[in-house]
Amino acid sequence: MYTQAMDLAPKEERAALRSAEDALLEERFEARIDEGAFIEAKDWMPEHYRKTLVRQISQHAHSEIVGMLPEGNWVTRAPTLKRKTILLAKIQDEGGHGLYLYAAAETLGTSRDQMFDALHTGKAKYSSIFNYPTLSWADMGTIGWLVDGAAIMNQVPLTRCSYAPYARAMVRICREESFHQRQGFDSLLVMMKDGTAAQRAMVQDAVDRWWWPSLMMFGPPDADSPNSAQSARWGIKRLSNDTLRQKFVDACVEQAQVLGVTLPDPDLKWNEARGHHDFGAIDWAEFYRVVGGHGPCNKERLAARVKAWDEGAWVRDAALAHSRKQATKEQAA
Amino acid sequence: MTTSIALERTPRVQYLLRIADTCLIHAQRLAEWCGHGPVLEEDIALTNMALDLMGQTRALLTHAGRLDGNAFDEDQLAFLRDERDFFNLTLVEQPMRRSSAHAPGGDFADTVLRNFLLASWLQLLWQQLADSSDAEVAGIAAKALKEARYHQQHAGDWVQRLGDGTEESAARLRAALGRAWPYTQEMFEHDGVDEAAAASGLGPARQALREAWQQAVAEVFAAAGLALPAATPFVSTGTLGRHSEHMGFMLAEMQVLQRTHPGGRW
Amino acid sequence: MSTEREWPLWEVFVRPKAGLDHKHCGSLHATDAAMAVQLAREVYTRRQEGTSVWVVKSSDITASDPGDKAMYFDPMEDKVYRHPTFYELPDSVNHM
């Protein structure tokens, strides 16, 4: 899910080795990976490994930050004080997760400001799912159920990623993530079981709109992801797009039954021979459209982040100026 | 459409709602910053503040609901009261981050200044309410006091940073002060509701907080290079249920789902 | 890209309760130590009482990390990691 950008990039060729020493270092590095060892910030690493990680971790971080926006859209309209509190806490967690991930990426030689610049100028991507609009309160619960559900599937394997600062950030994130999916599902369950007909229709409508984009979150089919093999070798990406997507579908079918909602796929059915649910064709044209910048909310999401950053410049500058003045005063004293 | 509930409006209930509603509406404004803050760390800090205020609001609303003869719960009070039965300070209705067709938005200077002025007031209020003759209120106050102290410290630090930061930040802070100051008079007005609360030991009359508040504010203002503005005759009346034009829009947004789905379960 | 306007980076260590060690939990950006401590509580402890927080400017940490020999000639050798702001360049070249 966070590898969407890399999945779509042309196959990366490794730079020609520069020296015998580099070859030896690379050999030792690959051996450590093979034995399942962790790589820390100061360890020698191939440039390609470092760059891939910076891109993946920062895309993951950007996804968390941009992900605050579609949910932030409903905070002031939450229907009960309890739900408002829960939603605020969830969005705050996402901000925190972004922060942990930026911190992990910074250990690889980039800075948060540089990563923001890449995001704001369109060079870096974030998960496609956040380019869809949140149109009803039921979208909040549906995002919790489907989008956070998909995120958890991606995140747990990453706690065993070879790059340790990323793995440690993921452990922290997974610990906090547990309530996100649960509260979303719970919100939908209440509306479906105890709510009015209008509420049930609201939930079904939300599911109709979020189901297919959720499947697209897992990225293009394995056959169309040329960089996955290298990422897998390096323990950055442990399970393939299609494997995770199938796992997700199987889990959701059961959960949908508990909720009493219909998943909008007439081709969805249990395949005894495979031991999995078959599902219908994904509209990849839509996926490429959204990832390419032409989804329903791409421009608004980016504009919101750029605005927050630009309008916050005077605040950041003021805080820096103040602390430098204080430091000067202390030195003079 | 769900029609509004009707409150009994006893002085005791109104006194508590003045505090609960102030916290609720301020939290509602703070929530506008979620995802839009100037710094990620500060985004998280502002949301922590909003969450603290939500906790205070919910505890007080629940208690006030019980005291009112109709036994309304926190959600009925928050989502089904009519505008004229809300008793928050008008200060907290003022625009914060978002502008609208009807009013320009505020900026981060408005936010930190308002946080500071309000937290300084709430801190003094909670301190005295910790000795309330109402045991439930005293318990709520003991917890809220720690939070208000923290909010005051955090916001006060920001007021100083902006006041003694760059020329731009100082100018923005002065402008924010010009906008906010007239609304602070309402924090110290005195009426029958205050009178009854002081007499019964429920809590202090607002006017009793003025001196300590001015002292706390003056100290931080001095470090921030801000002058205390002159008093004017302006007095806002949110605590009487008569609000600014912003309140109607805020409530329309906040209450929309409950109003649209009578009998809904969430 | 100039690093002049970036807030400095701080490493955060948290002791979750008395009797345990402080544990490194990540980093954050702040303009000074007072802010760093406050923000560390907001971000890494969500203000739970009883937790002790240490913050250290990342560039102030001296590290000794076992690593490949190639590292010993690396000017970043005793820093915790390679970060663009760990070395203050003279103003004239600070635009890199």
Side-chain angles (χ1 to χ4, degrees):
Chain A
M1 163 176 160
Y2 308 109
T3 59
Q4 279 174 356
M6 274 143 30
D7 290 343
L8 301 168
K11 187 164 182 9
E12 306 235 344
E13 296 305 327
R14 291 154 58 134
L17 295 172
R18 268 172 292 147
S19 67
E21 180 156 12
D22 275 357
L24 187 59
L25 288 167
E26 182 136 358
E27 208 179 289
R28 289 225 285 263
F29 173 83
E30 300 288 352
R32 288 181 69 195
I33 297 283
D34 286 341
E35 62 191 39
F38 280 117
I39 309 295
E40 295 287 354
K42 293 290 289 299
D43 293 339
W44 186 92
M45 58 184 77
E47 180 58 13
H48 187 36
Y49 177 85
R50 195 192 67 82
K51 276 202 345 223
T52 301
L53 274 167
V54 168
R55 251 191 278 158
Q56 176 165 333
I57 300 173
S58 61
Q59 185 181 303
H60 194 164
H62 296 323
S63 298
E64 296 281 355
I65 302 309
V66 176
M68 294 169 81
L69 297 173
E71 289 172 311
N73 193 27
W74 279 89
V75 161
T76 51
R77 288 177 288 173
T80 67
L81 297 184
K82 178 176 146 198
R83 292 289 173 201
K84 197 198 284 287
T85 304
I86 288 172
L87 186 56
L88 260 173
K90 178 179 194 273
I91 299 171
Q92 184 195 46
D93 273 355
E94 282 150 17
H97 295 173
L99 197 151
Y100 306 153
L101 290 163
Y102 286 126
E106 288 192 83
T107 65
L108 285 162
T110 181
S111 75
R112 200 196 288 176
D113 282 30
Q114 282 172 350
M115 288 185 273
F116 277 160
D117 188 64
L119 173 68
H120 298 162
T121 54
K123 290 194 213 94
K125 297 228 179 280
Y126 53 89
S127 185
S128 57
I129 191 72
F130 303 115
N131 293 310
Y132 290 86
T134 48
L135 301 176
S136 81
W137 174 253
D139 287 31
M140 296 299 104
T142 306
I143 285 174
W145 172 36
L146 297 179
V147 178
D148 286 291
I152 287 169
M153 278 193 181
N154 269 277
Q155 281 165 191
V156 173
L158 285 172
T159 59
R160 287 168 285 126
C161 162
S162 60
Y163 188 58
Y166 190 19
R168 286 192 288 266
M170 292 315 305
V171 167
R172 202 179 190 92
I173 288 172
C174 285
R175 244 193 339 246
E176 295 178 358
E177 191 76 39
S178 57
F179 102 93
H180 291 187
Q181 192 190 21
R182 260 200 335 263
Q183 61 78 35
F185 191 81
D186 173 70
S187 158
L188 297 179
L189 197 59
V190 168
M191 286 191 273
M192 290 303 292
K193 297 296 171 210
D194 302 329
T196 61
Q199 286 183 292
R200 285 195 296 277
M202 196 202 299
V203 173
Q204 183 59 62
D205 171 71
V207 172
D208 289 345
R209 283 181 289 104
W210 287 91
W211 175 248
W212 290 105
S214 297
L215 294 193
M216 292 176 205
M217 266 169 52
F218 294 92
D222 294 347
D224 299 335
S225 307
N227 294 307
S228 290
Q230 180 63 283
S231 295
R233 259 204 49 61
W234 283 336
I236 296 173
K237 180 173 176 166
R238 294 200 176 263
L239 291 163
S240 78
N241 296 353
D242 289 335
T243 305
L244 282 174
R245 189 173 7 245
Q246 180 66 74
K247 204 169 156 210
F248 178 73
V249 170
D250 292 335
C252 288
V253 168
E254 265 189 65
Q255 291 159 352
Q257 275 163 18
V258 170
L259 284 175
V261 296
T262 311
L263 295 174
D265 181 358
D267 297 319
L268 193 56
K269 66 178 183 294
W270 177 250
N271 182 320
E272 186 62 45
R274 287 201 310 124
H276 291 289
H277 289 90
D278 290 337
F279 53 96
I282 292 172
D283 178 6
W284 291 111
E286 178 182 331
F287 172 73
Y288 284 108
R289 212 168 45 238
V290 175
V291 170
H294 304 286
C297 297
N298 295 59
K299 296 203 181 349
E300 286 91 326
R301 298 292 181 235
L302 198 57
R305 288 306 311 153
V306 171
K307 184 170 193 270
W309 183 252
D310 289 347
E311 290 186 356
W314 71 267
V315 177
R316 296 188 299 273
D317 290 345
L320 259 182
H322 177 80
S323 80
R324 283 174 182 156
K325 280 195 231 180
Q326 293 298 110
T328 309
K329 277 191 208 151
E330 272 162 37
Q331 271 167 21
Chain B
M1 261 304 160
T2 312
T3 51
S4 303
I5 54 172
L7 272 190
E8 266 179 32
R9 265 216 200 198
T10 60
R12 167 167 291 255
V13 166
Q14 192 168 339
Y15 183 86
L16 293 177
L17 288 179
R18 281 176 176 173
I19 308 166
D21 292 345
T22 296
C23 293
L24 175 63
I25 301 300
H26 190 56
Q28 182 79 346
R29 278 289 186 223
L30 282 177
E32 291 175 13
W33 278 109
C34 215
H36 300 272
V39 172
L40 193 45
E41 286 82 348
E42 193 56 30
D43 214 304
I44 293 169
L46 283 174
T47 308
N48 270 335
M49 196 178 295
L51 284 168
D52 285 343
L53 289 165
M54 286 300 301
Q56 293 164 17
T57 275
R58 293 179 68 188
L60 269 183
L61 281 180
T62 302
H63 185 55
R66 278 193 229 113
L67 290 177
D68 176 276
N70 298 288
F72 293 123
D73 68 25
E74 63 181 11
D75 289 326
Q76 286 171 307
L77 288 173
F79 297 97
L80 298 177
R81 259 186 297 163
D82 204 60
E83 180 176 329
R84 71 184 107 87
D85 283 331
F86 276 84
F87 302 112
N88 52 282
L89 294 168
T90 310
L91 172 65
V92 297
E93 299 160 26
Q94 303 312 300
M96 208 180 252
R97 183 187 71 81
R98 284 159 35 191
S99 59
S100 67
H102 310 274
D107 64 12
F108 192 72
D110 288 291
T111 297
V112 303
L113 183 69
R114 192 181 310 170
N115 281 345
F116 173 65
L117 296 173
L118 189 68
S120 304
W121 185 75
L122 283 171
Q123 193 252 106
L124 293 165
L125 195 51
W126 292 125
Q127 197 164 48
Q128 303 227 16
L129 286 172
D131 293 322
S132 175
S133 56
D134 181 324
E136 178 76 23
V137 171
I140 295 169
K143 177 167 183 270
L145 176 57
K146 285 188 221 164
E147 292 167 351
R149 279 203 180 116
Y150 188 84
H151 299 165
Q152 186 192 29
Q153 166 92 67
H154 187 95
D157 287 348
W158 267 108
V159 168
Q160 287 179 63
R161 266 178 218 125
L162 297 186
D164 189 22
T166 59
E167 271 182 41
E168 178 174 4
S169 68
R172 283 179 183 261
L173 190 64
R174 280 194 300 271
L177 182 57
R179 286 189 284 271
W181 193 254
Y183 291 97
T184 60
Q185 174 56 33
E186 189 180 2
M187 290 173 163
F188 311 107
E189 288 291 287
H190 188 76
D191 64 7
V193 173
D194 296 284
E195 197 73 52
S200 70
L202 173 63
R206 283 173 286 164
Q207 66 187 8
L209 307 172
R210 184 199 289 275
E211 204 180 308
W213 182 84
Q214 281 200 325
Q215 217 175 337
V217 167
E219 211 178 290
V220 169
F221 276 19
L226 282 176
L228 276 182
T232 71
F234 178 88
V235 169
S236 48
T237 54
T239 46
L240 301 176
R242 260 178 277 125
H243 298 275
S244 72
E245 292 181 340
H246 303 294
M247 189 68 171
F249 291 107
M250 286 195 77
L251 290 181
E253 186 174 324
M254 192 173 88
Q255 298 186 338
V256 64
L257 280 176
Q258 287 245 8
R259 299 286 187 170
T260 315
H261 296 274
R265 295 288 305 279
W266 307 98
Chain C
M1 174 181 206
S2 165
T3 58
E4 262 239 318
R5 292 172 79 189
E6 287 195 37
W7 284 16
L9 195 57
W10 300 76
E11 301 300 320
V12 178
F13 303 81
V14 174
R15 182 195 348 257
K17 72 175 188 216
L20 300 173
D21 287 320
H22 280 82
K23 196 161 168 273
H24 179 242
C25 44
S27 64
L28 54 77
H29 289 270
T31 55
D32 53 47
M35 192 203 272
V37 164
Q38 270 198 1
L39 292 179
R41 291 187 64 222
E42 302 276 1
V43 173
Y44 285 104
T45 75
R46 303 292 166 86
R47 291 204 249 119
Q48 269 154 52
E49 307 246 5
T51 54
S52 163
V53 173
W54 289 352
V55 295
V56 187
K57 223 181 209 177
S58 310
S59 55
D60 283 345
I61 297 181
T62 303
S64 161
D65 258 327
D68 295 300
K69 222 157 154 235
M71 302 293 289
Y72 296 149
F73 305 108
D74 188 320
M76 286 279 182
E77 189 263 322
D78 66 346
K79 297 292 184 189
V80 278
Y81 42 88
R82 289 175 181 72
H83 193 271
T85 63
F86 282 7
Y87 276 102
E88 297 283 324
L89 296 174
D91 279 337
S92 58
V93 291
N94 218 11
H95 61 272
M96 11 183 121

